Amino acid sequence: MKEEPVRILFINSEITPYLPENRMSKIGRFLPQGIQERGKEIRSFMPRYGCINERRNQLHEVIRLSGMNIVINDIDRPLIIKVSSIPSARMQVYFIDNDDYFHRKFIYTDADGNFFDDNDERAIFFARGVLETVKKLRWKPDIIHCQGWITHLIPAFLRTTYKDDPIFEETRIILSLFDEGEKIHFNFDFSEKTDLQEIDKKELKVLDGCDGKGLTKFALKYTNGAIIADDNIDGEITSYLKSSGMPALSCTETDDSYIDKYNDFYDKILNK
């Protein structure tokens, strides 16, 4: 009997050509394609930011996946799922959308560079939206690879709220670490909004008023492996990662060689 291919779910903050090209968006675009070409099965997700041109990129709503509500801060928020194809890569990208959270024309900051006050809620909505959509797809990932701070709540949700779900019960989690700047900061009621009731309140409280460094350290507690994907990672994070003893890959190359290194790291995590 033919062996099932390994399944990798990529959850990205950014993917080019939907957003401008940078290190993270290029990896979001070309890594899934390269991993697929190496025989693994892939799915990719990202937020549907308002600056993404739907007509040019041929996004369309997937009615059978949309229609669910996600409750955040006691308010029902409709979950809309859209999809677009990258024909040259033979891959699709799924988009998490909601009128309140993702229709503004900026990504994380306003025109003056101020971090959006509801970015904590946007991260919660995105995390739960992806996981609920994967459940609807009935597609069981062997590895979930998270890239970008807006994905950093996903490891905690997988290890608590979704830990007994048959779709995710055997899933391994990998977190990529990037230098995403120092302007990330969250509200002091962040922990209450997450509704992560299975996590000790003292442990969860680290989210209240945290910055991007605090969110990353929180995410690493629920992660099976990490990839240092940038040269300028804060020393406190790299020290925390080293002290945790978890498998880590340092890979900041920009040529195609990084894809083989990531692919080998996936196999290492699965065989650990």
Side-chain angles (χ1 to χ4, degrees), residues 194-253:
T194 63
D195 200 30
L196 287 164
Q197 299 177 10
E198 295 183 45
I199 297 178
D200 181 85
K201 286 186 178 181
K202 287 184 179 179
E203 184 177 331
L204 197 56
K205 276 287 183 183
V206 301
L207 292 175
D208 293 341
C210 76
D211 57 10
K213 182 167 55 179
L215 179 61
T216 299
K217 288 167 66 176
F218 177 79
L220 285 169
K221 291 182 180 180
Y222 305 96
T223 302
N224 298 105
I227 296 175
I228 299 173
D230 211 317
D231 289 318
N232 301 310
I233 305 301
D234 188 281
E236 188 176 328
I237 292 176
T238 55
S239 295
Y240 181 88
L241 178 60
K242 186 175 181 180
S243 66
S244 73
M246 78 170 65
L249 170 68
S250 182
C251 183
T252 60
E253 289 86 348

Side-chain angles (χ1 to χ4, degrees), residues 14-22 25-26 28-30 46 86:
E14 305 176 27
I15 300 174
T16 188
Y18 307 109
L19 292 179
E21 189 172 293
N22 58 38
S25 69
K26 283 180 67 178
R29 160 64 181 85
F30 292 104
M46 71 172 287
I86 302 178

